[in-house]
Amino acid sequence: MLETSSFINGKFTNSSDKKLDIKNKYTLETIARVGLASAHEIEEAITSSVSAFHTYSKFTSGKRYDLLSKFLDLFIAKREELITLLISEAGKPRDYAAGEFDRCVETIRFALEETRRIGGEVVPMDFSNGSGKMAMTSRFAIGPVLGISPFNFPLNLTLHKLAPALASGCSIIIKPSPYTPQCNLLLGKLVQEAGFPDGLVNIVICENKESELLVRDERIKLLSFTGSPKIGWMLKSIAGKKKVILELGGNAAVIVDETSDIDRAAKEIAIGSFLYAGQICISTQRIFVAEKVYKEFKEKLISEASKLECGDPSKSGVMVGPIIDKVHVERIGQWIEEAKQGGAKLLLDGRSADVDHNILLPTLIENYKSEDKVCFEEVFGPVAILKEFNTEREAIDLVNDSRFGLQVGVYSNKLDFIKQCFKEIEVGALIVNSIPGFRIDNMPYGGVKDSGLGREGIKYAIDDMTDERLLII
């Protein structure tokens, strides 16, 4: 069994007696033991990050580009090892894990390209009191960044914080999920091998009390958090004057109207609802279908969901793997039962699956109440709810009846309706004739309401990690 610890100032630390057991999410066997960082090590992470920033921020964009290029080569060479970690640590189905790795490569490439594009603009000045003067802006790295990443995309969502930091000239401290620290620790090692300064990237494995020390510290200039709304908004409240970017998930909805391709929509929505056991921020949770096609669509969706292969994530073809932890298996089961007791109908009930491996099968619910947790909360499990609508106005209102607003999918061939949805639905993005789970890694990604604050995407993250400065001559 692997024994490891936080990666701080260019080395793995070993001073803490507190250990965190990391389990294979399907077999539930302990596969690693990680030492938790002490308050002293937290301070070393911060001081080394400040020191490394002062060095690295003076590097030319060309030098940052060369270092990132070496990091990309090293990352690609670790493909099989990283995919194996995603399967074991995160319980990610093999094909989906391979897809995450490929997305990671693109994420780093986007950062590599943006390294040479960070610049400013000429500001018109030669008039009035500015006559005879010229002005331009440039962008400068703001300082040490704190990135707190989740378990469900432990590589790519970490790289959405790490890669733009390296591109822009910032240092960064990564605090990964306690469920998936090994992926992040390997990233720290690769950064060192690529030749970046010690302390520029620190990977800190710690308890909540110590992570709050990082959030509160004024030497940290930006907090980028991906995770639950409850934790995200709490961290914002203690973050002080630093910039805060929050990506907090939601209960994503999809609309299917009578003009859409029902067969295609049913197949895509089944995957969008239940892939990776629904443990995706933009997993399809709420499905609203036009009355004219509701019965037909429901039958097709049940059929498509029943075809999805579930079980051991190490096997190719599996789409629905384990829930990350037994506590969430129990929570999801309780929410389903509460809805059922309140009168909801279970079209598919996935609770009688392989509980010894934390497997829940796809669950599809209709006749639910708006106060059911499966409706108004983020399930983060293989559960979707189904409801018919009679008018376009009703469909839009159903989507907006949520404290979340991350992304929405609209299956329709009516341009006027699509335009109305774009104007009126309260989300960060609307995807036409596709599920809300669509994302490529250069797009601005984020939500409104309780779904977050700000936008991810390499270019947009670099904007947040740099300040604009004006020169007048």
Side-chain angles (χ1 to χ4, degrees):
M1 181 176 60
L2 178 67
E3 296 272 353
T4 187
S5 61
S6 297
F7 184 82
I8 297 175
N9 200 18
K11 63 182 183 301
F12 289 96
T13 62
N14 288 297
S15 63
S16 176
D17 292 330
K18 295 182 179 179
K19 305 291 182 180
L20 176 68
D21 286 344
I22 310 302
K23 295 184 180 295
N24 179 297
K25 300 308 181 292
Y26 180 74
T27 67
L28 305 184
E29 297 173 346
T30 299
I31 55 177
R33 185 162 290 137
V34 182
L36 295 172
S38 64
H40 171 75
E41 289 167 340
I42 296 291
E43 176 61 24
E44 183 183 1
I46 297 171
T47 55
S48 65
S49 189
V50 171
S51 176
F53 167 72
H54 288 308
T55 300
Y56 187 66
S57 61
K58 297 179 177 64
F59 283 21
T60 65
S61 59
K63 189 170 183 179
R64 296 199 301 272
Y65 180 97
D66 290 342
L67 289 169
L68 258 174
S69 183
K70 292 178 183 177
F71 173 70
L72 175 58
D73 290 340
L74 292 167
F75 182 87
I76 291 172
K78 292 289 185 178
R79 184 180 190 276
E80 292 306 317
E81 182 176 352
L82 287 167
I83 289 173
T84 299
L85 278 176
L86 287 172
I87 295 168
S88 60
E89 269 201 328
K92 183 156 288 193
R94 176 173 294 279
D95 298 340
Y96 201 42
E100 178 174 351
F101 179 87
D102 292 340
R103 285 183 61 188
C104 289
V105 172
E106 288 302 300
T107 297
I108 301 170
R109 282 183 177 146
F110 285 134
L112 192 62
E113 293 165 1
E114 291 297 332
T115 303
R116 292 175 169 176
R117 298 174 183 160
I118 302 171
E121 62 178 347
V122 174
V123 180
M125 188 70 63
D126 188 19
F127 52 85
S128 187
N129 291 338
S131 295
K133 294 186 180 296
M134 299 174 60
M136 66 177 186
T137 65
S138 189
R139 303 200 70 89
F140 295 84
I142 60 172
V145 171
L146 171 60
I148 301 180
S149 58
F151 76 83
N152 59 334
F153 290 85
L155 279 177
N156 198 35
L157 291 184
T158 294
L159 285 168
H160 267 277
K161 306 174 192 305
L162 188 151
L166 298 181
S168 62
C170 291
S171 57
I172 185 166
I173 300 170
I174 296 292
K175 192 275 182 189
S177 165
Y179 290 123
T180 53
Q182 291 185 92
C183 292
N184 285 253
L185 290 169
L186 183 51
L187 289 180
K189 185 178 180 181
L190 296 180
V191 165
Q192 183 190 44
E193 291 177 8
F196 288 95
D198 288 348
L200 189 72
V201 176
N202 292 315
I203 313 295
V204 176
I205 319 299
C206 63
E207 295 180 321
N208 290 339
K209 181 180 178 181
E210 281 70 30
S211 64
E212 288 185 22
L213 294 176
L214 290 165
V215 174
R216 293 179 186 274
D217 199 287
E218 294 183 356
R219 291 168 291 181
I220 304 296
K221 301 304 179 185
L222 181 143
L223 166 64
S224 176
F225 172 85
T226 304
S228 73
K230 180 180 179 181
I231 300 300
W233 293 116
M234 182 278 291
L235 294 178
K236 182 179 182 296
S237 73
I238 66 172
K241 298 177 181 179
K242 62 178 61 66
K243 288 184 180 180
V244 177
I245 307 300
L246 303 176
E247 197 283 280
L248 306 177
N251 54 2
V254 65
I255 295 172
V256 181
D257 80 4
E258 69 279 7
T259 69
S260 60
D261 182 336
I262 300 300
D263 290 322
R264 173 189 166 196
K267 184 173 184 177
E268 292 178 355
I269 291 170
I271 295 171
S273 296
F274 305 120
L275 175 64
Y276 191 28
Q279 298 172 119
I280 305 169
C281 295
I282 39 181
S283 177
T284 305
Q285 183 173 323
R286 299 179 297 143
I287 306 166
F288 304 123
V289 184
E291 180 186 21
K292 292 179 181 178
V293 294
Y294 182 81
K295 183 178 179 181
E296 178 187 3
F297 176 84
K298 178 172 69 173
E299 292 172 354
K300 291 180 183 296
L301 181 61
I302 292 171
S303 175
E304 292 293 343
S306 301
K307 295 175 186 177
L308 299 178
E309 190 169 346
C310 310
D312 185 348
S314 67
K315 295 181 179 178
S316 182
V318 167
M319 282 196 176
V320 184
I323 301 296
I324 194 68
D325 192 283
K326 185 176 180 60
V327 66
H328 293 293
V329 175
E330 294 172 351
R331 171 187 60 79
I332 295 165
Q334 288 171 359
W335 288 9
I336 295 170
E337 184 61 27
E338 288 172 10
K340 181 181 179 182
Q341 293 300 319
K345 180 180 180 181
L346 304 188
L347 302 172
L348 292 172
D349 185 352
R351 291 174 295 171
S352 59
D354 186 356
V355 293
D356 292 334
H357 295 100
N358 290 342
I359 299 289
L360 293 176
L361 302 181
T363 295
L364 187 62
I365 302 172
E366 69 174 354
N367 299 335
Y368 59 89
K369 293 183 173 65
S370 60
E371 60 267 28
D372 289 337
K373 292 187 178 71
V374 294
C375 175
F376 75 85
E377 293 286 5
E378 180 180 31
V379 176
F380 225 63
V383 178
I385 59 177
L386 188 64
K387 188 181 187 70
E388 68 180 48
F389 65 84
N390 297 310
T391 67
E392 294 173 353
R393 177 75 267 158
E394 183 185 5
I396 292 171
D397 290 343
L398 283 167
V399 174
N400 283 339
D401 186 19
S402 172
R403 64 190 177 93
F404 299 109
L406 188 47
Q407 294 192 163
V408 64
V410 177
Y411 284 86
S412 176
N413 290 306
K414 293 187 288 187
L415 181 59
D416 286 346
F417 178 51
I418 292 168
K419 289 165 68 176
Q420 184 185 7
C421 288
F422 187 54
K423 286 181 179 179
E424 298 185 18
I425 293 180
E426 300 159 350
V427 288
L430 183 148
I431 298 94
V432 178
N433 288 319
S434 186
I435 54 175
F438 175 85
R439 182 181 181 183
I440 61 173
D441 294 287
N442 67 326
M443 67 187 242
Y445 176 79
V448 298
K449 300 192 280 190
D450 270 1
S451 284
L453 183 68
R455 295 292 181 267
E456 287 192 338
I458 301 302
K459 176 182 179 297
Y460 309 93
I462 288 173
D463 286 345
D464 285 320
M465 293 178 182
T466 54
D467 282 332
E468 190 174 56
R469 193 176 302 167
L470 177 67
L471 174 67
I472 304 173
I473 54 178

